[in-house]
Amino acid sequence: MNQQRSHLAWANTLTPNQQNKLRTLLEQGLPLVSQPYLALATAIDADETHVLKQIEIWQQQGLIKRFGLVVKHRQLGYQANAMVVWDIDDQTVDDIAAKLAKFPEVSLCYRRPRQLPQWPYNLFCMIHGKYREQVLAQIEKITQTLQLHSVNKAVLFSNKAFKQQGARYQRGGN
Amino acid sequence: MTSTYSNIALDDNDKKIINALQHGLPVCEQPFLALAQQLEISEQEILARLESLLEQKVLSRFGPMFDAACFGGAFTLAALQVPEQHFDKVTEIVNSFTQVAHNYKRDHRYNMWFVIATESQQEIEHVIQKIEEKTGLEVLNAPKLKEFYVGLYLPA
C-alpha cells in the first residue's frame, strides 16, 4: 500500500488510553462508512488527524502488518492448501524466503528452527490453490524459479480444520 | 477454469472490490472514495457490497492486520505425530486447551498441526508440557524465528 506521508517526527498525540481503545476498535475491523477514521476518532474522543497519525506510526513500527481484507479462502474457491517446508542452507534461507514470500499464492512464510533429527526443515510457507493439482503446480513453479530442486522439502496438505479459532489471541497467523 | 467449488456467487463488481482490497486500502480520510474512483464503482455501492460480503462470510475481516506478538502475546506452531486410531481422542484433548487455535490435520508423519497462543513464553512451555502429559506424545515446537512479508493475492 502506498502512502506518501512521512512527517513521523510528530509527537504521539493520542493518550495511551485512547491508543488502547483505538486498537480494540480497529481489531473489530474498519467501520464501513465514508469517513471511517472520523468515526473512530469520534468514538475515542480524539481528532481524526491524530487517529490517522497513530495508524501511520503503527504501520511504521510494524505493529500493523497490512491494511486490507482477510478473505475466506474456501469461500473464494481456494479449497486446497499445503504447508510446504524446506530444509534450506542457513546462509541463503533468508534471501530465498524473501523471494518465496512474493509469490501471490503464498499466504505465510516463516523461518522456524530445525529439530534434529526428527524435523530437518527450517522454512515454512503456506500455499493456496483451487485444487490440489494447482497447488502442486505452484510448488513446482516456485521450485523451478528459485532453483530449489536439490533442496529437501515436504508438502503437507491439510485435510480438515478441527479448530479454526478459539485461542485468546487469534491473530498473528502463527 | 471456473471456481466451481465456490459456495457463493460473486458478480464482477464483488470480484473487483475483493481483488483491489487484497492489495490494501489507502489510509486517508475517505479511503472508500479513493477506491471508488479507482474502480469506477460508487462509494456507496462499495460500502454496501463490503457489508454484504462480510455478512455472507466471504470476507472474515476488513481493516488493519495487527502483529499480535507486538502487543506482548507469545505464539508458536506445534505438531504431533498422532496414531490414526487415537486421532479423535487426541484432537479432543488438544482442542480442550483455550490456548490452542487453528488445529489442522495434515497428511504427514506429523499429522496434527496447531497454533498455541498465550500471554507469555512461559505459558507456551506450560501448555506444551500439559499436552505432552495428557496425550503421551512428544510435541514438535516450531516457534517463528523470522517472518517474511507476503504478497498474498488470490483473485476472486
Side-chain angles (χ1 to χ4, degrees):
Chain A
M1 191 168 12
N2 302 314
Q3 53 169 356
Q4 266 77 48
R5 299 149 181 267
S6 60
H7 33 106
L8 276 175
W10 288 15
N12 218 336
T13 38
L14 293 185
T15 66
N17 188 28
Q18 284 173 322
Q19 288 180 36
N20 282 337
K21 284 182 182 167
L22 178 60
R23 178 163 65 85
T24 305
L25 288 173
L26 281 172
E27 283 175 351
Q28 294 158 28
L30 196 66
L32 291 176
V33 295
S34 177
Q35 291 178 271
Y37 300 102
L38 183 61
L40 290 164
T42 306
I44 64 164
D45 197 20
D47 284 353
E48 185 185 20
T49 49
H50 294 168
V51 166
L52 285 164
K53 169 60 61 184
Q54 184 64 58
I55 287 167
E56 192 183 319
I57 290 168
W58 282 338
Q59 285 182 319
Q60 296 277 336
Q61 292 173 337
L63 257 73
I64 291 179
K65 294 199 277 190
R66 64 186 185 88
F67 230 95
L69 48 78
V70 180
V71 295
K72 290 276 194 187
H73 305 132
R74 287 171 201 270
Q75 294 282 27
L76 289 187
Y78 291 83
Q79 302 277 348
N81 80 78
M83 183 170 81
V84 185
V85 293
W86 316 74
D87 174 12
I88 299 179
D89 186 80
D90 288 338
Q91 309 305 314
T92 53
V93 64
D94 281 2
D95 188 39
I96 289 169
K99 289 176 185 156
L100 206 162
K102 294 287 174 279
F103 285 83
E105 297 82 0
V106 174
S107 70
L108 295 168
C109 185
Y110 292 131
R111 188 153 60 75
R112 300 181 185 278
R114 295 184 185 87
Q115 317 267 351
L116 297 171
Q118 68 268 39
W119 188 257
Y121 308 104
N122 61 341
L123 185 67
F124 290 57
C125 67
M126 200 67 75
I127 298 182
H128 297 267
K130 294 196 170 173
Y131 18 81
R132 202 172 263 243
E133 295 73 22
Q134 200 182 45
V135 175
L136 289 170
Q138 188 58 27
I139 294 167
E140 183 53 31
K141 188 176 141 201
I142 290 171
T143 305
Q144 278 198 8
T145 310
L146 301 180
Q147 301 181 335
L148 299 174
H149 278 295
S150 59
V151 166
N152 186 20
K153 69 170 182 288
V155 176
L156 288 74
F157 277 98
S158 85
N159 301 307
K160 197 168 156 188
F162 286 94
K163 186 176 189 182
Q164 279 212 294
Q165 290 187 330
R168 269 175 274 160
Y169 295 91
Q170 290 172 5
R171 290 159 307 281
N174 40 27
Chain B
M1 285 206 217
T2 54
S3 51
T4 47
Y5 296 95
S6 184
N7 301 321
I8 309 267
L10 301 174
D11 71 15
D12 285 350
N13 279 355
D14 289 328
K15 290 181 184 178
K16 272 166 81 174
I17 294 168
I18 290 170
N19 292 347
L21 286 175
Q22 288 189 65
H23 294 301
L25 183 71
V27 179
C28 60
E29 286 170 19
Q30 293 181 282
F32 300 106
L33 188 61
L35 186 67
Q37 286 156 357
Q38 180 197 326
L39 298 182
E40 298 181 336
I41 302 172
S42 79
E43 184 188 26
Q44 280 317 308
E45 189 175 348
I46 289 177
L47 290 168
R49 280 171 184 265
L50 278 174
E51 206 158 298
S52 157
L53 290 168
L54 284 164
E55 242 164 54
Q56 295 173 78
K57 307 214 183 300
V58 176
L59 309 180
S60 60
R61 224 180 138 268
F62 176 71
M65 308 300 139
F66 283 98
D67 184 344
C70 285
F71 293 108
F75 303 86
T76 198
L77 178 66
L80 290 171
Q81 301 183 51
V82 186
E84 203 54 49
Q85 69 269 28
H86 297 143
F87 203 89
D88 290 349
K89 180 70 190 151
V90 172
T91 301
E92 199 179 306
I93 294 170
V94 170
N95 285 355
S96 72
F97 287 84
T98 56
Q99 298 94 336
V100 166
H102 306 290
N103 186 355
Y104 284 91
K105 184 176 189 183
R106 295 193 177 275
D107 50 3
H108 187 266
R109 195 159 47 86
Y110 280 98
N111 53 358
M112 185 182 288
W113 289 83
F114 51 92
V115 173
I116 303 173
T118 65
E119 284 172 29
S120 68
Q121 189 52 43
Q122 212 178 0
E123 199 184 339
I124 297 257
E125 308 298 333
H126 178 74
V127 170
I128 288 176
Q129 196 187 331
K130 284 281 167 202
I131 290 174
E132 290 186 335
E133 276 171 23
K134 287 192 167 186
T135 62
L137 300 168
E138 193 184 342
V139 171
L140 177 78
N141 180 16
K144 150 174 117 180
L145 295 179
K146 183 167 177 178
E147 175 169 1
F148 299 88
Y149 282 65
V150 296
L152 178 67
Y153 178 64
L154 301 176

